[in-house]
Short mmCIF file of all heavy atoms in Angstrom, two decimals:
data_model
loop_
_atom_site.label_atom_id
_atom_site.label_comp_id
_atom_site.label_asym_id
_atom_site.label_seq_id
_atom_site.Cartn_x
_atom_site.Cartn_y
_atom_site.Cartn_z
N ALA A 89 9.02 -7.18 -21.93
CA ALA A 89 8.27 -8.43 -21.92
C ALA A 89 9.12 -9.54 -22.53
O ALA A 89 10.09 -9.29 -23.24
CB ALA A 89 6.97 -8.27 -22.69
N SER A 90 8.71 -10.78 -22.27
CA SER A 90 9.46 -11.93 -22.77
C SER A 90 9.23 -12.18 -24.25
O SER A 90 9.99 -12.90 -24.90
CB SER A 90 9.09 -13.17 -21.98
OG SER A 90 7.69 -13.41 -22.06
N SER A 91 8.17 -11.59 -24.80
CA SER A 91 7.88 -11.70 -26.23
C SER A 91 7.06 -10.49 -26.64
O SER A 91 6.57 -9.73 -25.79
CB SER A 91 7.10 -12.99 -26.53
OG SER A 91 5.89 -13.02 -25.81
N SER A 92 6.90 -10.28 -27.93
CA SER A 92 6.12 -9.14 -28.41
C SER A 92 4.68 -9.25 -27.93
O SER A 92 4.01 -10.26 -28.16
CB SER A 92 6.17 -9.07 -29.94
OG SER A 92 5.48 -7.93 -30.40
N THR A 93 4.21 -8.24 -27.23
CA THR A 93 2.90 -8.29 -26.59
C THR A 93 2.38 -6.89 -26.37
O THR A 93 3.12 -5.91 -26.50
CB THR A 93 3.00 -9.03 -25.24
OG1 THR A 93 1.70 -9.22 -24.70
CG2 THR A 93 3.84 -8.25 -24.24
N GLU A 94 1.12 -6.76 -26.02
CA GLU A 94 0.57 -5.47 -25.60
C GLU A 94 1.19 -5.10 -24.26
O GLU A 94 1.20 -5.91 -23.33
CB GLU A 94 -0.95 -5.55 -25.43
CG GLU A 94 -1.75 -5.71 -26.68
CD GLU A 94 -3.23 -5.83 -26.34
OE1 GLU A 94 -3.88 -4.77 -26.23
OE2 GLU A 94 -3.70 -6.96 -26.18
N ILE A 95 1.70 -3.88 -24.15
CA ILE A 95 2.25 -3.38 -22.89
C ILE A 95 1.75 -1.96 -22.69
O ILE A 95 1.74 -1.15 -23.63
CB ILE A 95 3.79 -3.36 -22.89
CG1 ILE A 95 4.38 -4.69 -23.35
CG2 ILE A 95 4.31 -3.02 -21.48
CD1 ILE A 95 5.90 -4.66 -23.51
N TYR A 96 1.34 -1.67 -21.48
CA TYR A 96 0.92 -0.32 -21.10
C TYR A 96 1.70 0.07 -19.84
O TYR A 96 1.97 -0.78 -18.99
CB TYR A 96 -0.57 -0.28 -20.79
CG TYR A 96 -1.46 -0.74 -21.92
CD1 TYR A 96 -1.72 -2.09 -22.12
CD2 TYR A 96 -2.06 0.18 -22.77
CE1 TYR A 96 -2.54 -2.52 -23.14
CE2 TYR A 96 -2.90 -0.24 -23.81
CZ TYR A 96 -3.13 -1.59 -23.99
OH TYR A 96 -3.95 -2.01 -25.00
N GLY A 97 2.02 1.37 -19.70
CA GLY A 97 2.74 1.79 -18.51
C GLY A 97 2.55 3.24 -18.17
O GLY A 97 2.35 4.08 -19.06
N VAL A 98 2.60 3.55 -16.88
CA VAL A 98 2.51 4.92 -16.35
C VAL A 98 3.46 5.03 -15.17
O VAL A 98 3.94 4.01 -14.64
CB VAL A 98 1.07 5.26 -15.90
CG1 VAL A 98 0.12 5.35 -17.08
CG2 VAL A 98 0.56 4.23 -14.89
N SER A 99 3.73 6.26 -14.71
CA SER A 99 4.69 6.43 -13.62
C SER A 99 4.36 7.64 -12.76
O SER A 99 3.79 8.62 -13.25
CB SER A 99 6.12 6.55 -14.17
OG SER A 99 6.21 7.55 -15.16
N THR A 100 4.74 7.54 -11.48
CA THR A 100 4.65 8.67 -10.55
C THR A 100 5.90 8.67 -9.68
O THR A 100 6.53 7.62 -9.47
CB THR A 100 3.42 8.59 -9.63
OG1 THR A 100 3.44 7.35 -8.92
CG2 THR A 100 2.13 8.73 -10.40
N SER A 101 6.25 9.83 -9.15
CA SER A 101 7.39 9.90 -8.24
C SER A 101 7.05 10.79 -7.05
O SER A 101 6.16 11.65 -7.13
CB SER A 101 8.65 10.41 -8.95
OG SER A 101 8.42 11.64 -9.61
N TYR A 102 7.82 10.59 -5.97
CA TYR A 102 7.58 11.27 -4.69
C TYR A 102 8.92 11.65 -4.07
O TYR A 102 9.95 11.06 -4.39
CB TYR A 102 6.80 10.37 -3.73
CG TYR A 102 5.46 9.95 -4.28
CD1 TYR A 102 5.37 8.88 -5.18
CD2 TYR A 102 4.30 10.63 -3.95
CE1 TYR A 102 4.16 8.51 -5.72
CE2 TYR A 102 3.08 10.26 -4.49
CZ TYR A 102 3.02 9.20 -5.38
OH TYR A 102 1.81 8.85 -5.93
N THR A 103 8.88 12.60 -3.17
CA THR A 103 10.06 12.98 -2.39
C THR A 103 9.80 12.66 -0.92
O THR A 103 8.68 12.40 -0.51
CB THR A 103 10.38 14.47 -2.55
OG1 THR A 103 9.25 15.24 -2.11
CG2 THR A 103 10.68 14.81 -4.00
N GLY A 104 10.87 12.69 -0.14
CA GLY A 104 10.74 12.47 1.29
C GLY A 104 10.55 11.02 1.69
O GLY A 104 10.08 10.74 2.80
N ALA A 105 10.92 10.07 0.81
CA ALA A 105 10.69 8.65 1.08
C ALA A 105 11.92 8.00 1.69
O ALA A 105 13.06 8.36 1.37
CB ALA A 105 10.31 7.92 -0.20
N LEU A 106 11.71 7.01 2.53
CA LEU A 106 12.78 6.22 3.10
C LEU A 106 13.58 5.58 1.97
O LEU A 106 12.99 4.98 1.06
CB LEU A 106 12.20 5.15 4.02
CG LEU A 106 13.20 4.24 4.74
CD1 LEU A 106 14.03 5.03 5.75
CD2 LEU A 106 12.46 3.10 5.43
N GLN A 107 14.89 5.65 2.03
CA GLN A 107 15.74 5.20 0.93
C GLN A 107 16.29 3.80 1.11
O GLN A 107 17.02 3.30 0.25
CB GLN A 107 16.89 6.19 0.74
CG GLN A 107 16.44 7.59 0.34
CD GLN A 107 15.78 7.61 -1.03
OE1 GLN A 107 16.45 7.47 -2.05
NE2 GLN A 107 14.46 7.78 -1.06
#
Side-chain angles (χ1 to χ4, degrees):
S90 58
S91 59
S92 183
T93 187
E94 290 178 87
I95 311 173
Y96 303 83
V98 291
S99 52
T100 56
S101 54
Y102 301 81
T103 59
L106 182 66
Q107 298 294 288

